[in-house]
Every structure is written in C-alpha cells, then in structure tokens.
Amino acid sequence: MSKHIVLLTVSFILLMLVQILVFRNFVLFQVGFAFVYLLFLLSLPMEVGFTAGMILGLISALILDLFYQSLGIHASAAVFIMFVRPTWLKAVLPRGGYEPNDMTTIGTYGLQWFLGYATPLVLVYCLIVFFVEAGTAQLFWHTVTKALVSTVITLVFVVFAQYLFYPKTN
C-alpha cells in the first residue's frame, strides 16, 4: 500500500476540494447531485482494514458535512457504505481474486467489475443521504428518483475521473 499512499493522499485532497468548491453547487434539474469524493472511498486498497475504512469514511464525510451544513447525514451514509464494503468486495470477487495492495479501480480490475462494485455502494449512499434529508416517506418516489439520478451522475464523474487521473496497473 505504500506506493499508493501518495496517490490516495493527493486524490483525497483534490476530490474534497472539487466536491466542496465545484460540485456543491452542481445540481441537475433539482434531482441530480454528484458526490465525486466517493471515488476516494471506493478506490481504497484491500489492505485498508474494516475499522480504518470506516474512520476514513467518517473523516471525509464529516468534512463534507461541515461545508454542506448537513449535520452528519453524509457521515452516516459514508460510514455505512464502508461498513458493508468488505462484504460486498467478497460478493464481487473477480476471477483472479484480489491482490492485497491493489486499489479497487478501473485500471486494476476493469470497467465492468468496477461498475458492479461501485453502483450498489453509491446507490445505498444516495438513498441514505436523501431519505435522511427528507425525514419523511411522503416524498418517497421523489427521493428514490433523486437517489437514482444522483447515482448515475456520480458514477459518470467517478469513471471519468479515473480514466483521467488514475494509472492503469494491469
């Protein structure tokens, strides 16, 4: 993992800055939001343990909550996806298995694997954020629509960012 520390540190700083400065005000038709900072959490290597992953999710999302003034909504969603991430990684195990120090990116495992890995996690993240934000089930379909559209938008930006900035390792 030592070779990835610099890349992860730089990507964390850049993704948080882009999320706060650019994507905070990016809204598509009042239903689509982009959470590109999730790329940092999604690309953490296998070596990052369960507790460390949850702590990284908490710290990154608390920073976002501070700037979004959302009182821990993003933190709860990020900690939850980092809680289920190890189990989900076992469920989407690629043919050759995982290497402990590999980052979970498109460059390492391919686009099809990455979309199968990231889509449910981003969807769950968006569902938690928008349902907690709504605070009621009266707007159920509107909230589900926001989560689905935001998941697609987030994945588009995450995939685009990976092709631009993350090195291909295979």
Side-chain angles (χ1 to χ4, degrees):
M1 181 163 115
S2 61
K3 67 180 183 177
H4 298 299
I5 289 177
V6 173
L7 178 62
L8 286 170
T9 304
V10 170
S11 70
F12 172 75
I13 293 167
L14 289 176
L15 288 168
M16 291 306 289
L17 285 172
V18 168
Q19 180 70 51
I20 292 165
L21 298 175
V22 177
F23 288 106
R24 180 176 180 212
N25 299 317
F26 179 83
V27 182
L28 186 64
F29 303 118
Q30 298 300 319
V31 292
F33 300 84
F35 301 110
V36 295
Y37 88 99
L38 290 176
L39 175 56
F40 168 73
L41 297 176
L42 294 172
S43 64
L44 289 173
M46 302 295 156
E47 243 175 42
V48 173
F50 178 75
T51 306
M54 288 179 58
I55 290 170
L56 288 171
L58 178 67
I59 291 169
S60 61
L62 279 176
I63 293 170
L64 190 69
D65 281 327
L66 178 69
F67 286 96
Y68 277 49
Q69 299 175 352
S70 52
L71 300 174
I73 293 173
H74 294 278
S76 63
V79 168
F80 182 77
I81 66 166
M82 294 309 289
F83 176 77
V84 299
R85 180 179 180 257
T87 305
W88 184 242
L89 282 168
K90 290 176 187 170
V92 294
L93 185 70
R95 251 182 230 193
Y98 297 117
E99 291 295 322
N101 59 352
D102 279 346
M103 292 175 58
T104 51
T105 61
I106 293 171
T108 307
Y109 296 107
L111 178 63
Q112 183 177 357
W113 176 87
F114 182 80
L115 289 176
Y117 155 69
T119 302
L121 293 176
V122 173
L123 178 62
V124 166
Y125 176 89
C126 290
L127 285 169
I128 291 170
V129 166
F130 294 128
F131 272 110
V132 171
E133 181 183 60
T136 181
Q138 290 178 341
L139 303 171
F140 179 80
W141 292 112
H142 178 68
T143 306
V144 169
T145 302
K146 279 174 65 173
L148 290 172
V149 172
S150 296
T151 298
V152 171
I153 292 171
T154 298
L155 287 172
V156 165
F157 281 110
V158 163
V159 168
F160 181 71
Q162 282 194 55
Y163 280 120
L164 279 179
F165 302 112
Y166 281 58
K168 184 169 175 69
T169 56
N170 281 344

